[in-house]
Amino acid sequence: MNFDFHYYATYLAAIIAGYSHEESSEIAYSAQFVDCCTRTFLTSIKAPLSSATTQSQVELINARADLLGLQDITRIWSSFHFLPQDLYAEKKWCTRGYRNKYRLICGPNGDLLVETVKLAKGKSLESVGLAMHVLADTWAHRNFAGTPSLVINNTDYYFYEIFSGDTGEFEKKITFRHSTSTPDDLNRSIYTNSLFQTSENSIMNLGHGRAGHLPDYSFIKYKYLPAWGDFTEIVKDNPSDYYHAFCQMVYAMRYLRGNISSFDKDTYDFEIVSPYEAQIKEIINKRQIDSCADWKALGEKISGNIIDDFDVYRYKDEYLAARKEAKDNTVLGRFFVAALRQKSMVTNKIYKSGNMLAGFSADFAEKGFVGIKDFKKLVDAATSGGEKHD
């Protein structure tokens, strides 16, 4: 999903779920910060590099192309942006290598989503925001995998946009180009995607790069033939998916606040959101590249407060000024702990399923601290009873 949904729509969902303006703002910041927390940023403030939740284009271009490099990429993108839907999915007549990639395909309402939401229970607001980013992306990024793979993530010439007209639906063939400096042309259905590379493990074949920004546009409905689906036509209805994502975020955050006792799959707070349904769907269906202004206006109208513009450096000084022993209780410090916890959980689940695409993982609950020193923060947090929050 794009900035507009991760920041402004998440703020609105938090408000509807019952959080205060201040709490919702912190949740929204962390939800968007998932797309900003690169190793480059972490290096600039001397923060734990293992808490990276994304990679910049430069970092990806310079990423190692060997097994360890690919595992590092998979740990980040599968944990935070392409959460696997079913780590035990079956696929007949295929190699184990292909099946392992197939099992990393993202989708909503998987067991890992439940684990992600429950992992944030009783934790910081930063943990809530991070979980909402992951939840939202399971809807936008469904059918793609957070590991480089031509066979899983590639698209071909059969790609059509579906429009609704006075006499019903009609289709228009989508044209892809590779000019990253040219905006997508919504009027002519011309979109930018990653450059085709025949190498199975090229970073050009990571996630939905071959489908460009289409999965991140709320208004679009399209169909295509993914290779992993045996070239059976798949229709992706983003307006429906995005509304489900919004209502599921409200439901998840009501659970995290303690308003309800459980978080279950395929459950949505349609009734609570219903007073705002028409306004939300109008924004979701509006054909525009950037919906920030509309989401911001609606959020401010409902909350009665001004939503600050997102500033990636908003909490940088607080983190830098904090003493070493107090850094983990700053906004960024709590986010880093939440990121380490999420990455550890997902990587461990992938590893336990017999899939080595995200590398080796030790279970902290069973074996204690093993390996990268950054992750000792998780043991310290557990020993101290969790994060504090001012």
Side-chain angles (χ1 to χ4, degrees):
M1 288 184 171
N2 286 330
F3 171 88
D4 46 17
F5 199 95
H6 283 313
Y7 188 62
Y8 291 109
T10 301
Y11 168 89
L12 177 57
I15 288 291
I16 294 174
Y19 286 99
S20 68
H21 166 68
E22 292 74 19
E23 291 170 332
S24 298
S25 297
E26 202 164 320
I27 290 170
Y29 175 87
S30 293
Q32 173 55 26
F33 190 63
V34 174
D35 278 340
C36 307
C37 188
T38 64
R39 288 194 175 103
T40 301
F41 178 89
L42 294 167
T43 300
S44 72
I45 60 172
K46 298 181 180 180
L49 299 184
S50 298
S51 56
T53 57
T54 190
Q55 292 171 289
S56 68
Q57 289 186 354
V58 173
E59 289 174 353
L60 282 170
I61 290 172
N62 294 325
R64 293 166 57 173
D66 59 6
L67 176 62
L68 293 178
L70 291 172
Q71 288 174 339
D72 179 53
I73 291 171
T74 303
R75 281 194 293 273
I76 292 174
W77 293 92
S78 289
S79 296
F80 302 105
H81 308 280
F82 295 86
L83 193 70
Q85 186 175 39
D86 185 359
L87 292 176
Y88 297 90
E90 289 299 333
K91 187 75 172 174
K92 293 183 178 180
W93 319 116
C94 68
T95 65
R96 177 166 39 173
Y98 174 79
R99 185 172 63 249
N100 284 343
K101 292 190 175 186
Y102 178 80
R103 287 175 171 177
L104 293 189
I105 293 175
C106 177
N109 291 310
D111 290 340
L112 280 180
L113 174 66
V114 176
E115 293 283 346
T116 293
V117 174
K118 289 185 175 180
L119 197 63
K121 181 72 169 178
K123 305 298 192 305
S124 64
L125 293 174
E126 289 71 27
S127 297
V128 176
L130 185 147
M132 293 307 100
H133 183 109
V134 177
L135 184 158
D137 274 356
T138 63
W139 290 93
H141 298 169
R142 68 193 306 181
N143 304 328
F144 296 95
T147 193
S149 174
L150 175 66
V151 70
I152 296 295
N153 294 323
N154 189 36
T155 60
D156 62 11
Y157 64 91
Y158 189 93
F159 215 117
Y160 292 86
E161 189 167 357
I162 302 172
F163 296 86
S164 295
D166 295 335
T167 58
E169 291 187 335
F170 64 95
E171 301 170 0
K172 187 175 183 180
K173 194 174 188 304
I174 286 174
T175 300
F176 285 117
R177 61 187 173 195
H178 314 301
S179 177
T180 57
S181 62
T182 305
D184 288 341
D185 189 335
L186 305 188
N187 293 326
R188 296 192 294 165
S189 294
I190 300 176
Y191 301 95
T192 300
N193 71 344
S194 61
L195 188 66
F196 176 74
Q197 295 287 330
T198 57
S199 171
E200 166 66 11
N201 295 324
S202 168
I203 59 167
M204 294 296 176
N205 300 320
L206 171 64
H208 60 75
R210 295 292 298 136
H213 293 298
L214 271 71
D216 289 331
Y217 290 143
S218 64
F219 63 82
I220 197 167
K221 183 176 181 180
Y222 58 91
K223 67 177 186 179
Y224 68 113
L225 303 176
W228 61 260
D230 300 322
F231 296 101
T232 301
E233 183 179 276
I234 283 183
V235 175
K236 180 68 167 67
D237 186 350
N238 275 8
S240 175
D241 283 354
Y242 275 55
Y243 189 68
H244 277 78
F246 185 91
C247 294
Q248 192 172 47
M249 283 201 303
V250 174
Y251 167 64
M253 285 191 278
R254 289 183 66 238
Y255 161 74
L256 293 173
R257 285 191 81 247
N259 298 81
I260 51 180
S261 59
S262 64
F263 177 81
D264 301 310
K265 296 179 186 177
D266 203 19
T267 306
Y268 315 92
D269 267 334
F270 292 130
E271 185 174 350
I272 289 177
V273 179
S274 61
Y276 320 105
E277 179 180 358
Q279 299 167 84
I280 291 171
K281 286 187 174 180
E282 181 180 359
I283 297 173
I284 287 174
N285 284 279
K286 190 174 181 179
R287 197 171 175 78
Q288 57 184 347
I289 290 177
D290 185 350
S291 300
C292 286
D294 291 334
W295 281 113
K296 177 179 170 68
L298 182 59
E300 291 178 343
K301 176 183 177 183
I302 292 174
S303 71
N305 291 280
I306 300 298
I307 305 172
D308 291 334
D309 293 338
F310 179 80
D311 177 5
V312 68
Y313 301 110
R314 184 185 303 170
Y315 300 107
K316 179 179 178 179
D317 290 342
E318 178 199 29
Y319 185 81
L320 288 173
R323 301 185 310 275
K324 183 178 180 180
E325 63 272 17
K327 286 187 182 295
D328 287 350
N329 198 37
T330 62
V331 170
L332 291 181
R334 290 190 292 267
F335 178 91
F336 299 151
V337 171
L340 291 170
R341 184 184 290 112
Q342 173 70 8
K343 186 186 294 184
S344 176
M345 182 274 289
V346 175
T347 302
N348 189 249
K349 293 291 185 180
I350 294 174
Y351 172 72
K352 281 189 169 182
S353 73
N355 190 335
M356 288 299 296
L357 286 176
F360 176 83
S361 175
D363 192 324
F364 287 98
E366 295 179 359
K367 299 183 179 180
F369 171 67
V370 179
I372 302 171
K373 64 179 181 179
D374 289 345
F375 286 85
K376 189 174 184 299
K377 290 180 179 290
L378 300 184
V379 180
D380 295 339
T383 302
S384 64
E387 308 111 326
K388 297 178 182 177
H389 186 270
D390 296 328

